[in-house]
Amino acid sequence: MKQGWNHDRFFIVPCTVLYCVRDFLHLLWEMPHTARLTCRAFPAFWKGRWIMIKLTLKDGSIRELEAPTAAAEVIKGIGMGLYKASCCVKLDGEVCDLRTVIDHDCTFEVMTFDSEEGKKTFWHTASHVLAQAVKHLYPEAKLAIGPAIDTGFYYDFDVEHPFSQEELTKIEAEMKKIVKANEKLEQFYLSPEEAVAKLKGMDEPYKVELCEEHAGNGEPISFYQQGDFTDLCAGPHLMSTGTIKAFKLLSCTGAYWRGSEKNKMLSRVYAVAFPKASMLEEHLAKLEEAKKRDHNKLGRELEYFTTVDVIGQGLPVLLPKGARVVQLLQRWVEDVEQAHGCLLTKTPLLAKRELYKISGHWDHYLDGMFVLGDPHDETKDCFALRPMTCPFQYQVYLNRQRSYRDLPMRLTETSTLFRNEDSGEMHGLIRVRQFTISEGHYILRPDQLEDEFKNCLQLAKYFLDTVGLLDDCTFRFSQWDPANPGNKYEGTPEQWEEAQRVMGNILDHLGVKYEIGIDEAAFYGPKLDIQYKNVFGKEDTLVTIQIDMLLAERFGMYYKDKDGQKKLPYIIHRTSLGCYERTLAYMIEHFGGAMPLWIAPEQVRLVPIADRHLDFAYEVKKELEAAGLRVEVDSRAEKVGWKIRQATMEKVPYMLTVGDKECEEKTVAVRKRNGEDLGSMTVAELTAKLVEEVRTKQK
């Protein structure tokens, strides 16, 4: 026998070939006759089957793959320019890593930095570069989380002291080295046991905690590695660090681990990154402008609100100006709602836990409530401040038996609510723990649902347009997620499918352009969220309109229909202007503090030139106030120019100067806060002008 001869191979190789030929002929015979005739090329042989993978591109064209192929390679085949700009892909609408191997027919969309998904992927990779740089410079630092957010990204670190500005500069320099090295990012998977062991070996306790939470489902745990740095992460990520051409570490603040005050305070580094230096420069310029309009700064300077440590975080104090604006908004909203057939209610600020158990909030929202007493001691009364008004207002409906003739019943209330928000989420007037909203619950028959939903939407759009915010709003159809692991939702899949089908049809009939938010519904029904971004790009909900097909049954809210049968109504939960504090914050930012005349806390300021002009100034004040205008007299012994500058800085819409001439002619010299000189007017002429401007609510 010759050296190297393999007796087994002599028999195995020919047999393998014969089996492959047999499988090919058998598959070819099973193909439809027309398919055999029209097949112009043999597709790839993969896992014993002949396939041709079809990708439907964004423009509708079809691209075919002969074998499973990584998304990055597909993009290279389309064009290297597109590949260099790509951050991630969407396969059948799902955001995926460029390393994802495509092995089935699907829609295929390349996401660049111009897309939201592309930005998030870009920023997520940049957060890993930040973490790698910190570990290089401060090996003892422990890593927490580093997600992309709407305005960039952050990473939380457990370090002895928060990073100073000098240290942030050092970290930036180290990040530049990592980017210049163009480290490739590689994804790998470990079993849950291996993953936990690896993270313990890396001495990363926060990562271990996160990993152990996901280990229970038995699925492999994803990691990414770039050079000497490895992080627990599901992705997606860029292919390498070199794509991140420009970045800036913006600030370092404190943040509790997982947002809970019970946990350790970590150091959170906020940052942003771009594929071009020019984009970063433009962004930083916008940030400087945004800082000038930030309600948290401007609102305090203009004395709309303040916060006090001994009162507590998320509990702002509205100063006279802020309180006046909110009062004006509330009165206006209540009057308009009354004209639209709404019934005003006033309900308690707290209730026993039994009420919240009926509604389901005790089971689904307890962590977000302020509880008075032991929530787990059933032998004693336990109360909670209300996080919403719906279970209270339902008692108005339940006060007596209702007929189909009573519906729709539109119950509204200017509701003060309390929610135990995480401390890390607090921000000025936008995210607070006590707030007031224009809340309403419409109880109606199923046949009234679309008309009433339309009326709610039109009302919300009217209010938002009048306060100047509508043009910058977006709409999101928030739906349930049947796979939600937290058992967040009430009801059956069939009830949810029906509620979402009905709401989707209504939105389509009304022509509302919306995005879909999965797992963002309320626990009892889908909702339309009207979203708005602050000056820094952080998005929050201004107004919400929800369809509820579940809670009426919990409360036994039947009505007697035309046929004499007891039936359950539908309920629309809605706000018309939303949270007044948040609306005030956005108005301050949108108008730069220069509120429109109709809502300005001080509409007119009289500036007498000398003390001898004070009597006439107060006469004018009295006449303007009789017309319903809000007027002040600056009687300080200061120069006129200084008084006018002060009024301008305080954003007072109109300044009226009175001197000898004005006193003699019974006129006022009118000046607007933008510097426009309107000349001399009689008090009657000015009054008519201002009253009309207020009546029409000019922006």
Side-chain angles (χ1 to χ4, degrees):
M1 189 177 292
K2 294 182 180 179
Q3 187 177 5
W5 171 260
N6 188 320
H7 185 266
D8 291 338
R9 188 169 57 186
F10 178 77
F11 293 97
I12 292 173
V13 173
C15 289
T16 303
V17 173
L18 287 173
Y19 284 136
C20 289
V21 172
R22 183 200 67 178
D23 288 347
F24 170 75
L25 293 174
H26 179 70
L27 182 63
L28 187 63
W29 179 256
E30 288 185 337
M31 291 173 64
H33 178 67
T34 53
R36 294 202 301 270
L37 291 177
T38 58
C39 185
R40 297 181 180 178
F42 289 153
F45 184 66
W46 174 56
K47 290 186 179 178
R49 298 184 61 192
W50 297 151
I51 63 166
M52 183 66 82
I53 303 169
K54 294 183 178 180
L55 304 184
T56 304
L57 305 185
K58 188 177 181 181
D59 62 3
S61 62
I62 303 294
R63 192 171 188 86
E64 295 184 334
L65 306 178
E66 294 184 350
T69 308
E73 296 304 315
V74 175
I75 302 172
K76 287 179 183 178
I78 298 173
M80 286 304 295
L82 180 61
Y83 170 71
K84 291 178 180 178
S86 62
C87 298
C88 58
V89 292
K90 267 189 178 180
L91 305 180
D92 285 337
E94 181 182 353
V95 180
C96 296
D97 196 289
L98 294 171
R99 300 159 189 79
T100 303
V101 175
I102 304 169
D103 58 6
H104 63 280
D105 294 353
C106 62
T107 60
F108 182 87
E109 185 177 356
V110 181
M111 312 307 292
T112 66
F113 189 82
D114 293 333
S115 67
E116 181 180 349
E117 297 84 354
K119 282 187 176 70
K120 292 289 180 70
T121 300
F122 192 97
W123 288 335
H124 194 185
T125 304
S127 78
H128 278 222
V129 174
L130 166 59
Q132 184 179 9
V134 169
K135 291 295 283 186
H136 283 179
L137 297 172
Y138 308 94
E140 72 286 355
K142 307 303 178 195
L143 305 180
I145 58 173
I149 55 177
D150 291 341
T151 56
F153 61 94
Y154 68 79
Y155 213 113
D156 288 345
F157 303 96
D158 184 352
V159 289
E160 188 175 353
H161 303 289
F163 295 119
S164 65
Q165 186 55 53
E166 183 180 350
E167 288 172 314
L168 291 181
T169 302
K170 286 173 59 179
I171 295 170
E172 278 187 355
E174 186 64 25
M175 290 175 68
K176 290 178 181 178
K177 294 178 183 178
I178 297 168
V179 168
K180 188 175 181 180
N182 195 24
E183 303 273 18
K184 289 185 177 180
L185 281 89
E186 298 176 349
Q187 186 179 24
F188 65 92
Y189 293 87
L190 296 176
S191 69
E193 297 76 17
E194 291 172 329
V196 171
K198 180 177 181 62
L199 292 168
K200 286 183 177 178
M202 295 167 60
D203 193 20
E204 294 291 355
Y206 300 99
K207 300 292 184 181
V208 170
E209 182 179 329
L210 294 172
C211 188
E212 287 178 336
E213 288 181 358
H214 293 86
N217 58 22
E219 295 178 356
I221 305 294
S222 172
F223 289 80
Y224 278 83
Q225 182 172 347
Q226 57 197 52
D228 59 0
F229 177 76
T230 301
D231 202 355
L232 173 74
C233 186
H237 280 290
L238 304 176
M239 298 299 286
S240 68
T241 63
T243 309
I244 306 168
K245 302 297 184 185
F247 51 86
K248 180 68 176 176
L249 304 187
L250 301 172
S251 63
C252 180
T253 64
Y256 291 108
W257 168 236
R258 299 197 144 179
S260 173
E261 296 174 355
K262 299 176 182 178
N263 295 329
K264 187 171 184 179
M265 176 74 77
L266 306 176
S267 290
R268 175 171 295 179
V269 178
Y270 283 99
V272 71
F274 293 91
K276 295 180 181 178
S278 59
M279 297 171 72
L280 175 61
E281 292 173 4
E282 182 181 351
H283 178 79
L284 294 177
K286 288 181 179 178
L287 271 183
E288 288 304 312
E289 180 60 29
K291 289 177 183 177
K292 298 175 184 177
R293 303 175 76 91
D294 178 13
H295 87 279
N296 216 2
K297 175 178 180 293
L298 191 55
R300 295 171 193 272
E301 291 175 351
L302 294 175
E303 296 188 344
Y304 278 91
F305 77 100
T306 187
T307 51
V308 183
D309 288 343
V310 294
I311 291 179
Q313 191 179 19
L315 299 169
V317 175
L318 292 183
L319 300 174
K321 287 184 181 179
R324 178 66 69 195
V325 172
V326 168
Q327 180 194 52
L328 292 166
L329 289 172
Q330 289 177 359
R331 288 176 173 174
W332 168 55
V333 168
E334 288 180 357
D335 288 346
V336 173
E337 287 179 338
Q338 181 177 338
H340 281 73
C342 294
L343 303 174
L344 186 64
T345 68
K346 187 173 179 60
T347 58
L349 298 181
L350 76 166
K352 295 165 67 174
R353 71 178 142 215
E354 284 71 22
L355 180 70
Y356 302 116
K357 283 188 173 183
I358 296 173
S359 68
H361 290 95
W362 198 256
D363 295 328
H364 294 278
Y365 205 77
L366 183 59
D367 289 343
M369 297 167 67
F370 289 101
V371 179
L372 288 74
D374 185 349
H376 307 295
D377 186 352
E378 298 288 342
T379 66
K380 297 179 181 178
D381 280 344
C382 180
F383 291 79
L385 296 173
R386 63 182 184 184
M388 73 301 297
T389 312
C390 45
F392 296 83
Q393 286 197 328
Y394 295 164
Q395 308 312 308
V396 177
Y397 178 89
L398 291 166
N399 187 52
R400 61 177 171 83
Q401 176 63 50
R402 300 295 175 181
S403 160
Y404 71 93
R405 294 188 181 90
D406 296 321
L407 306 182
M409 178 179 284
R410 307 180 186 95
L411 303 175
T412 60
E413 184 166 337
T414 302
S415 306
T416 298
L417 304 179
F418 306 86
R419 295 184 183 174
N420 191 12
E421 298 280 5
D422 290 337
S423 61
E425 295 295 318
M426 300 297 104
H427 179 61
L429 297 175
I430 291 177
R431 183 73 69 170
V432 292
R433 287 175 169 155
Q434 176 186 313
F435 55 94
T436 304
I437 64 173
S438 55
E439 194 168 15
H441 297 90
Y442 290 16
I443 305 166
L444 41 95
R445 304 189 308 266
D447 62 285
Q448 298 169 324
L449 181 60
E450 182 161 353
D451 284 342
E452 292 301 317
F453 190 98
K454 178 181 179 180
N455 292 339
C456 289
L457 180 57
Q458 288 178 336
L459 194 61
K461 292 173 76 173
Y462 162 72
F463 284 128
L464 292 173
D465 183 47
T466 305
V467 299
L469 303 180
L470 181 62
D471 289 345
D472 295 318
C473 287
T474 58
F475 298 83
R476 185 171 65 216
F477 182 6
S478 296
Q479 304 180 1
W480 84 317
D481 180 5
N484 184 288
N487 191 26
K488 173 182 175 182
Y489 302 104
E490 292 279 329
T492 65
E494 292 75 19
Q495 288 172 313
W496 275 93
E497 301 270 339
E498 173 65 9
Q500 292 184 171
R501 182 191 64 79
V502 170
M503 187 166 178
N505 288 340
I506 291 174
L507 294 176
D508 291 340
H509 290 165
L510 298 179
V512 178
K513 295 181 180 179
Y514 58 83
E515 294 181 351
I516 292 177
I518 300 298
D519 200 24
E520 296 183 13
F523 71 83
Y524 48 77
K527 56 194 175 98
L528 177 68
D529 290 321
I530 303 180
Q531 303 293 108
Y532 193 88
K533 292 182 179 180
N534 68 11
V535 289
F536 297 110
K538 173 71 170 62
E539 184 176 88
D540 279 297
T541 300
L542 256 179
V543 168
T544 183
I545 307 172
Q546 307 170 6
I547 293 179
D548 173 13
M549 299 182 179
L550 300 176
L551 293 191
E553 185 173 14
R554 277 180 166 269
F555 283 89
M557 297 169 62
Y558 294 95
Y559 67 92
K560 187 173 287 189
D561 207 355
K562 293 179 182 179
D563 57 8
Q565 299 297 311
K566 290 173 64 177
K567 295 183 180 178
L568 287 167
Y570 286 173
I571 302 172
I572 294 177
H573 304 238
R574 70 102 183 108
T575 51
S576 54
L577 189 57
C579 169
Y580 287 105
E581 290 83 356
R582 187 173 291 178
T583 299
L584 173 59
Y586 285 143
M587 289 180 70
I588 290 171
E589 294 186 350
H590 178 75
F591 293 110
M595 295 290 189
L597 179 69
W598 71 274
I599 199 70
E602 180 185 349
Q603 296 169 313
V604 178
R605 183 172 296 181
L606 280 150
V607 182
I609 294 176
D611 287 349
R612 63 180 180 275
H613 307 127
L614 279 171
D615 289 344
F616 179 63
Y618 281 107
E619 288 179 20
V620 174
K621 179 179 188 291
K622 185 176 180 180
E623 193 170 339
L624 292 173
E625 286 180 334
L629 297 166
R630 296 178 290 280
V631 188
E632 297 293 338
V633 175
D634 189 343
S635 59
R636 292 173 292 182
E638 301 286 350
K639 293 182 178 179
V640 173
W642 185 88
K643 291 182 180 181
I644 290 176
R645 281 194 300 274
Q646 284 297 112
T648 302
M649 290 175 62
E650 293 174 30
K651 314 292 184 181
V652 179
Y654 286 91
M655 288 148 273
L656 313 181
T657 306
V658 292
D660 292 338
K661 179 182 178 183
E662 286 75 25
C663 290
E664 182 180 343
E665 297 178 354
K666 302 299 180 185
T667 60
V668 288
V670 184
R671 179 188 180 91
K672 298 178 72 173
R673 64 186 161 206
N674 64 3
E676 182 181 359
D677 189 347
L678 300 184
S680 182
M681 291 185 184
T682 65
V683 178
E685 289 172 339
L686 177 63
T687 301
K689 170 183 168 53
L690 299 185
V691 167
E692 178 64 13
E693 190 174 334
V694 169
R695 186 190 68 80
T696 56
K697 293 182 170 58
Q698 295 179 26
K699 301 172 195 170

